[in-house]
Amino acid sequence: MNIILKSNTLSRSELAAGLSLCRAFFPEALVRLEEEGTALIEERNSIDVNQGDTDFALPEIEILHIDIHYPETPWRIEGYFRGAIVVLDVDDVQAILAHPYAGKESLRKLLLKRGILALLPQIAGHTPPWGILTGIRPSKILHRLNDAGYTLEEREKSLQRLYGVREDKAHLLQEVVSIQQPYLKMMRSHPNHVAIYVGIPFCPTRCSYCSFPAYSLKRGREPLEQYLVGLGEEIRTAGEWMGATGLVADSIYLGGGTPTVLTTSEISQLIALIMNTIPAKIEVELTVEAGRPDTLSQEKLLALRESGVNRLSINPQTMHNRTLQRIGRAHTVEDILRVYRLARKIPDWVINMDLIMGLPGEGVKDIQETLEQIKILDPDNLTVHALAIKRGSKEHEQGLPQNLGSELEVMQEVVMTSARSMGMQPYYLYRQKHIAGNLENIGLAKPGLECRYNIGIMEEQQNVIGMGAGASSKIVNPVDFSLINFHHPSDWQVYLKRWGEIQRKRAENLKHISKGY
């Protein structure tokens, strides 16, 4: 299906603000801004001319027309699509705008989204649980409202009546933000404390749903060995200018890929290099993403803990062997149980486990069975993702349909009930494009065992220095929390040639901002 978004009153840039929300209603649709005639020409030109003029049918093109009359008086919103019509008059618009607004978009864009939110449920038969919020970090809006001094009741009404967020999601967001507050207060009071990310973009095999930059080691370890040499150079350089600038690591996160694809010797040497080179707090949070149980052994686990690792993530994704095989994981449920028990025998670290809702072939019963086994293991943290099928993944290439049914919401209810029964509470959440059911990914933790790195990177109130192929850096201005982003190339070979260039730009911006500390 092709949807052309049109308006007589909005500029093209204003109208573009509605694209993501339209896709939230119709994920499989191609939603564009082109004029109808242009779209027809584009579609016709894409057809093989050898087929002849009568052997093909153009994809159905439907017009979603919406006009916003604001700040002109009388205010109103008008729209129509597939025979459905919406008209919100001046009283409706005033009721929407009567609540606190913490967004950075113009009110015309906000009203465009509210018009779409009123119109499309008539056709789609459902309303996205997050209302007009389509961004990755809905919690940032609530933080802004909180910082502006609005009461709990005012914040709740803003979420539900201005942004159209469903009541249960508004309550969830309030809970997350309240747990984050003391952590963010600490980050704000120490702007020289930074988060460090070190990426290892290699895996034993590639999961069918994965769209991250990660390279399989099936053909040998030589690329990984070359990569570690260049990564070590970047770490040393970063440590030098961090020391000169007065920056100190509050948290260090080894992600990927799968960092534990390194040998015991390699990962011990890498962590030693980081700890000896990067200025860090005595109580630095040091996390290793040990996502694949098949990359762990007792020897490696002991080496990680002895190296100072105090947070470990063991990621089963599911506790069903048939699904693990289907998605390309090179381990079994028995491997997960064995490795987790080995890790739990080692004291004084926090263990997280990742799960994915909506994996191919899995339903409510499957997630219930997975959670029953997880509950017996009793991890300290649980991170639950709603499956997102993105370009670059095998599932996308093979055309796996996205699970958008109400079953996913039931799955999430099961997850939350189970996590709370384990004494956990939600402490961060984020959303993704193409996320199943228009839901969210949630991080849960036992009180006091929340991951500072996850909070800092999600709320974007702490500088993040990313090292390695595909790593991102966020330079945060503590005055207004505006951001400057830097991204290393995802290709590890290109990264080895270009990391110095990105490093210099990043260091210059950090030095400039740090003058205000």
Side-chain angles (χ1 to χ4, degrees):
M1 177 171 63
N2 283 271
I3 298 175
I4 307 298
L5 191 55
K6 297 181 69 174
S7 178
N8 294 324
T9 60
L10 295 168
S11 69
R12 187 179 180 84
S13 62
E14 289 175 325
L15 196 58
L19 290 174
S20 294
L21 186 55
C22 291
R23 295 185 186 112
F25 281 96
F26 301 104
E28 305 302 324
L30 177 60
V31 186
R32 296 180 291 175
L33 302 178
E34 288 88 344
E35 291 299 319
E36 182 179 0
T38 303
L40 284 168
I41 292 172
E42 288 179 354
E43 296 295 343
R44 184 176 294 275
N45 286 342
S46 70
I47 300 297
D48 186 345
V49 294
N50 293 325
Q51 292 181 341
D53 289 340
T54 60
D55 290 342
F56 66 86
L58 292 172
E60 181 183 10
I61 296 177
E62 302 184 81
I63 306 300
L64 194 166
H65 195 118
I66 192 156
D67 287 328
I68 307 300
H69 301 274
Y70 178 90
E72 299 85 3
T73 53
W75 302 344
R76 67 188 186 281
I77 303 171
E78 301 172 337
Y80 60 85
F81 179 65
R82 285 191 185 179
I85 298 174
V86 65
V87 178
L88 302 180
D89 63 20
V90 62
D91 291 334
D92 297 320
V93 175
Q94 285 178 333
I96 292 171
L97 299 182
H99 304 285
Y101 178 48
K104 296 185 177 180
E105 292 182 317
S106 70
L107 291 180
R108 282 168 63 85
K109 291 182 180 179
L110 181 144
L111 293 174
L112 162 67
K113 293 179 180 179
R114 284 305 306 258
I116 292 172
L117 190 66
L119 178 63
L120 293 189
Q122 300 177 52
I123 303 300
H126 67 89
T127 301
W130 288 96
I132 68 172
L133 299 182
T134 57
I136 295 173
R137 299 171 173 85
S139 50
K140 290 183 73 173
I141 288 177
L142 198 50
H143 280 299
R144 293 190 197 117
L145 291 170
N146 186 64
D147 292 343
Y150 290 107
T151 66
L152 175 63
E153 182 181 5
E154 289 171 328
R155 298 195 300 267
E156 287 272 2
K157 288 182 177 178
S158 178
L159 288 174
Q160 296 180 48
R161 301 180 187 178
L162 180 69
Y163 294 101
V165 176
R166 204 171 65 195
E167 184 178 7
D168 61 317
K169 298 303 179 185
H171 291 331
L172 172 64
L173 204 58
Q174 289 276 22
E175 184 177 7
V176 167
V177 167
S178 66
I179 292 170
Q180 291 179 343
Q181 283 299 316
Y183 291 98
L184 295 180
K185 183 178 180 181
M186 183 64 67
M187 292 174 188
R188 292 174 180 178
S189 63
H190 296 87
N192 64 317
H193 289 179
V194 303
I196 302 291
Y197 177 84
V198 179
I200 307 294
F202 294 88
C203 282
T205 60
R206 188 170 179 85
C207 298
S208 64
Y209 54 79
C210 182
S211 61
F212 288 104
Y215 301 89
S216 172
L217 292 179
K218 284 186 174 181
R219 297 183 180 179
R221 294 180 56 84
E222 184 178 353
L224 174 57
E225 293 166 357
Q226 293 178 29
Y227 175 77
L228 289 175
V229 173
L231 178 63
E233 293 175 0
E234 183 181 12
I235 291 170
R236 292 185 188 90
T237 303
E240 290 175 2
W241 59 257
M242 280 181 63
T245 314
L247 298 174
V248 177
D250 172 53
S251 62
I252 301 171
Y253 193 104
L254 271 68
T258 307
T260 47
V261 78
L262 275 61
T263 65
T264 300
S265 175
E266 287 170 337
I267 200 165
S268 295
Q269 291 175 22
L270 176 61
I271 294 174
L273 174 63
I274 294 169
M275 300 304 288
N276 293 330
T277 305
I278 301 294
K281 295 167 52 179
I282 295 175
E283 66 278 18
V284 65
E285 179 185 270
L286 177 52
T287 304
V288 171
E289 188 79 29
R292 299 290 195 95
D294 46 309
T295 65
L296 293 171
S297 64
Q298 185 173 25
E299 177 190 19
K300 191 176 291 186
L301 288 167
L302 287 169
L304 290 172
R305 187 68 191 96
E306 290 169 1
S307 297
V309 175
N310 47 37
R311 297 186 67 95
L312 185 73
S313 190
I314 300 174
N315 302 339
Q317 314 302 9
T318 177
M319 298 294 273
H320 292 280
N321 281 327
R322 70 179 188 279
T323 309
L324 291 171
Q325 184 177 11
R326 163 69 174 79
I327 61 178
R329 306 278 284 190
H331 64 82
T332 65
V333 171
E334 292 69 30
D335 292 328
I336 297 165
L337 297 173
R338 175 181 54 81
V339 167
Y340 181 88
R341 287 164 183 156
L342 288 174
R344 187 48 89 192
K345 289 180 181 179
I346 300 172
D348 300 327
W349 59 5
V350 173
I351 299 181
N352 171 76
M353 302 189 84
D354 276 19
L355 301 178
I356 300 178
M357 299 187 307
L359 287 170
E362 291 206 349
V364 174
K365 185 174 182 290
D366 298 287
I367 198 75
Q368 286 174 329
E369 292 171 347
T370 288
L371 287 163
E372 287 170 4
Q373 295 195 59
I374 296 296
K375 189 173 183 178
I376 295 171
L377 297 177
D378 193 28
D380 306 297
N381 287 190
L382 188 64
T383 307
V384 183
H385 305 266
L387 182 65
I389 302 300
K390 298 183 179 180
R391 291 177 181 173
S393 70
K394 292 180 181 178
E395 298 292 358
H396 183 273
E397 294 171 358
Q398 295 170 3
L400 178 73
Q402 187 65 280
N403 187 340
L404 299 174
S406 58
E407 187 176 32
L408 270 168
E409 296 234 24
V410 177
M411 287 185 194
Q412 194 170 72
E413 290 176 9
V414 169
V415 166
M416 295 302 294
T417 300
S418 181
R420 292 189 190 280
S421 73
M422 288 186 267
M424 296 184 188
Q425 55 191 6
Y427 77 98
Y428 83 103
L429 65 80
Y430 66 101
R431 307 187 67 229
Q432 295 173 276
K433 290 182 179 179
H434 313 297
I435 194 166
N438 283 299
L439 296 175
E440 65 281 336
N441 302 325
I442 306 177
L444 302 118
K446 294 179 179 179
L449 299 182
E450 296 84 4
C451 177
R452 298 198 300 269
Y453 175 86
N454 286 336
I455 294 174
I457 196 168
M458 282 302 148
E459 303 313 321
E460 299 184 321
Q461 295 191 18
Q462 185 179 54
N463 290 317
V464 179
I465 299 172
M467 291 178 275
S472 297
S473 297
K474 298 177 183 292
I475 310 305
V476 181
N477 189 326
V479 176
D480 58 4
F481 297 103
S482 58
L483 295 172
I484 304 174
N485 294 300
F486 296 95
H487 306 281
H488 277 320
S490 296
D491 186 295
W492 68 269
Q493 293 173 305
V494 178
Y495 156 77
L496 292 180
K497 296 176 182 178
R498 294 192 53 198
W499 69 260
E501 173 190 342
I502 305 297
Q503 180 92 301
R504 285 189 294 273
K505 294 179 180 179
R506 181 175 59 194
E508 289 171 3
N509 280 275
L510 269 168
K511 184 178 180 181
H512 173 72
I513 289 177
S514 66
K515 290 180 180 179
Y517 294 166

